[in-house]
Amino acid sequence: MTRQSSALKTWTVLAIAAAIAAPAIAQERGSSNLQFIRDLLVPDRTIVTAGVGPEFRPDYFGSDDYGVGVGTSFLVKFQSATFGEDGLSVNILPNTDFEFGPVARLAGGRDESANEALEGLGDVGRTLELGAFGAVTIAETYRLRARYRHAIATGHRGGLLDVQAGRVLFEGRRVSSAAGIGITWVDNDYADAFFSVTEGASLESGVLPVFNAGGGIRDVRLGWNGAYRLTDRWGLAGYLRYNYLVGDTADSPIVDLFGSRHQVALGMNLNYQFDFATGRRARNGS
């Protein structure tokens, strides 16, 4: 059995276990299985936030060439589920400081045309990543989260584990900010897809030496984000992120020879938030 099929089997079992556990946990809280599923699929209230604005980012992860593009953001919160740029996550432990559940994310790949340093490497396609997450919130200020996802059949075909610790710095009526640190581990398949250089790719490139990237710690990072509420619906949000690449990621020719292990990204967007009642509230007219 290959590493990929073994990982897929493991996370398939976890997803099935989460699906089985969800209604059981709801029943523990005094709700029927049917009620739990109905509350999840038809929540009482849904909150949607969407934004757009300029974003300063590297051409690819590991590049030393930067450009300004249009960045978008979106976040949908309904009951115990959250859907946004990080994908879909469903917390099966609601109303506690602990969170656990399945996650799914449509992950972007990398285009060879993004930068001349990638010439000959080919494209890394988009893929669906499935996995699970766990998180704990302490005193409504500190949050620790771990999340593992594995690609399904296409794209990088690998897995990655992300661990992050964050802290709310300030939260007022109009202004809020938070900061965090994180670390990302990737397996051999993920590292190979994004950072290896095969003999064929080396010949086609003409400048990149052969390199076989292995799994391990990909990077450590620091991040900050802030928000300012202009009105009840409109607001400004910004972020700043710094990643330091390590291990085989940093040693890859596309980073060591033609890029940089220091990665910076920042952006700002104007966003609009709205919410609407569904479920019981909508039917009762409240």
Side-chain angles (χ1 to χ4, degrees), residues 228-242:
Y228 179 76
R229 183 175 292 276
L230 299 171
T231 68
D232 289 342
R233 299 293 185 186
W234 292 94
L236 291 173
Y239 77 90
L240 172 63
R241 185 175 64 246
Y242 169 74

Side-chain angles (χ1 to χ4, degrees), residues 106-129:
L106 183 61
R110 187 187 65 195
D111 293 335
E112 179 182 355
S113 61
N115 189 281
E116 60 182 8
L118 303 177
E119 184 177 348
L121 298 184
D123 297 339
V124 180
R126 299 172 68 85
T127 185
L128 175 64
E129 298 174 342

Side-chain angles (χ1 to χ4, degrees), residues 212-231:
N212 183 27
I217 302 298
R218 186 190 70 175
D219 69 281
V220 295
R221 66 183 180 277
L222 299 172
W224 171 89
N225 62 76
Y228 179 76
R229 183 175 292 276
L230 299 171
T231 68

Side-chain angles (χ1 to χ4, degrees), residues 42-44 89 101 119 158 165 174 191 200 229 237 240 248 256 258-259 284:
V42 188
D44 288 336
S89 62
E119 184 177 348
R174 288 189 175 275
R229 183 175 292 276
L240 172 63
D248 278 8
D256 186 44
F258 298 99
N284 295 337

